[in-house]
């Protein structure tokens, strides 16, 4: 084992961007906004939570975890709340039932989508579409304007890779890096490779992270559905 001196050990790591000044060492996430709670320990499924937009979002399965990240990573999504909404409806036999959706998705256009996450192979046998059809005729548009059955066929491996990348990079916010990239975005007149954008920024790897955050925020748009990497091509998002 190679020994190092105390001076070498205490040398700042220039591969890690210093954090923005803050009055707090750590800001805990807000508690879950979900209408249904459950124990995170389970022998039969993967359970846990992820912090999205400063709020704790719990998940009961790997499929729900992926759905949370993929849906949140889409530019038209504002925020995601798990285990919501809870609705009452009358079933085909005239009985009053209660159903809690897996996700409540708030979109930037003001609409709300109630989502159930299901493996594609189980959608037909579960009867979830028939239940959604009944609920759709009874639910108030104030609660949800659209119902969706979300399966693994609705996203690619690249979509999930990008979603996890966006989540990780969001934790490394640096105002100077973001400002440098956004100044370049404002001057873009057409498509540009991520590598060229990062190079022009002079921020190296930090510039790449800032590009990812710009894509996540909807300031940049990928020209094709693929992984976000240096070879990817982006364009400025159209102004509304």
């Amino acid at each position: 084992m190679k020994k190092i001196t105390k001076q070498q050990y205490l040398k700042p790591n220039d591969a890690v961007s210093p954090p923005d000044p803050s009055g707090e060492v750590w800001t805990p996430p807000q508690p879950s906004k979900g209408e249904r709670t459950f124990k995170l320990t389970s022998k039969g499924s993967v359970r846990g939570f992820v912090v999205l937009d400063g709020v704790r979002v719990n998940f009961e399965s790997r499929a729900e975890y992926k759905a949370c990240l993929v849906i949140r990573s889409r530019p038209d999504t504002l925020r995601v709340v798990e285990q919501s909404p809870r609705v009452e409806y009358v079933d085909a036999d005239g009985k009053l039932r209660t159903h809690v959706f897996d996700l409540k998705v708030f979109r930037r256009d003001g609409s709300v989508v109630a989502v159930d996450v299901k493996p594609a192979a189980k959608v037909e046998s579960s009867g979830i579409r028939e239940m959604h059809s009944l609920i759709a005729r009874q639910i108030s548009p104030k609660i949800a304007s659209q119902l969706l059955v979300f399966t693994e066929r609705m996203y690619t491996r690249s979509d999930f890779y990008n979603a996890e990348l966006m989540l990780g990079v969001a934790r490394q916010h640096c105002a100077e890096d973001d400002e440098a990239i956004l100044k370049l975005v404002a001057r873009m007149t057409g498509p540009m490779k991520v590598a060229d954008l990062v190079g022009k920024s002079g921020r190296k790897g930090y510039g790449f992270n800032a590009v990812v955050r710009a894509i996540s925020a909807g300031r940049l748009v990928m020209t094709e559905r693929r992984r976000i990497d240096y070879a990817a091509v982006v364009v400025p998002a159209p102004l509304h």
Side-chain angles (χ1 to χ4, degrees):
M1 179 183 294
K2 183 179 179 180
K3 293 184 178 180
I4 62 173
T5 65
K6 180 179 179 181
Q7 184 178 10
Q8 290 174 318
Y9 178 77
L10 295 175
K11 181 181 178 181
N13 184 357
D14 57 10
V16 179
S17 182
D20 289 338
S22 172
E24 299 182 19
V25 175
W26 176 67
T27 302
Q30 296 180 37
S32 165
K33 308 296 184 183
E35 296 183 37
R36 171 180 168 265
T37 60
F38 53 84
K39 292 183 179 180
L40 293 182
T41 55
S42 171
K43 294 181 179 180
S45 64
V46 177
R47 297 184 178 186
F49 71 90
V50 63
V51 178
L52 297 176
D53 305 301
V55 180
R56 174 173 169 153
V57 177
N58 301 320
F59 57 84
E60 282 190 283
S61 66
R62 179 73 173 169
E64 285 187 15
Y65 166 73
K66 289 184 175 182
C68 284
L69 265 59
V70 169
I71 292 174
R72 179 60 189 92
S73 71
R74 293 176 175 173
D76 62 344
T77 299
L78 184 62
R79 62 189 177 96
V80 174
V81 177
E82 86 287 12
Q83 298 302 312
S84 297
R86 182 192 299 271
V87 299
E88 289 187 338
Y89 70 100
V90 178
D91 69 11
D93 296 322
K95 294 182 179 179
L96 183 64
R97 304 284 187 183
T98 299
H99 177 68
V100 181
F101 286 86
D102 293 323
L103 298 172
K104 187 174 186 179
V105 181
F106 294 84
R107 288 179 169 168
R108 296 187 185 277
D109 63 4
S111 62
V112 178
V113 184
V115 181
D116 275 319
V117 180
K118 289 287 183 185
K122 295 184 178 180
V123 169
E124 185 175 351
S125 61
S126 69
I128 189 69
R129 294 198 188 282
E130 291 77 8
M131 184 182 69
H132 276 202
S133 179
L134 287 170
I135 294 175
R137 296 195 293 268
Q138 303 175 45
I139 192 172
S140 167
K142 293 182 180 180
I143 297 176
S145 53
Q146 181 182 343
L147 308 185
L148 173 68
V149 179
F150 189 87
T151 77
E152 72 279 6
R153 293 178 182 173
M154 294 181 176
Y155 61 92
T156 66
R157 290 183 179 181
S158 293
D159 293 334
F160 179 58
Y161 172 89
N162 292 343
E164 286 202 308
L165 177 63
M166 290 177 184
L167 176 65
V169 167
R171 299 169 180 164
Q172 305 168 17
H173 173 74
C174 179
E176 291 182 0
D177 299 336
D178 294 337
E179 183 179 358
I181 291 297
L182 292 178
K183 283 183 177 179
L184 291 172
V185 172
R187 297 199 295 267
M188 286 175 64
T189 58
M192 181 181 291
K193 282 188 176 182
V194 169
D196 295 335
L197 195 55
V198 173
K200 288 179 178 293
S201 74
R203 309 297 291 185
K204 299 183 180 180
Y206 304 138
F208 176 80
N209 290 351
V211 168
V212 175
R213 286 192 292 270
I215 294 172
S216 180
R219 301 294 296 273
L220 283 171
V221 179
M222 302 268 284
T223 59
E224 59 179 324
R225 195 172 183 179
R226 55 163 293 159
R227 287 191 175 192
I228 301 173
D229 56 22
Y230 283 89
V233 177
V234 294
V235 294
L239 297 176
H240 296 290

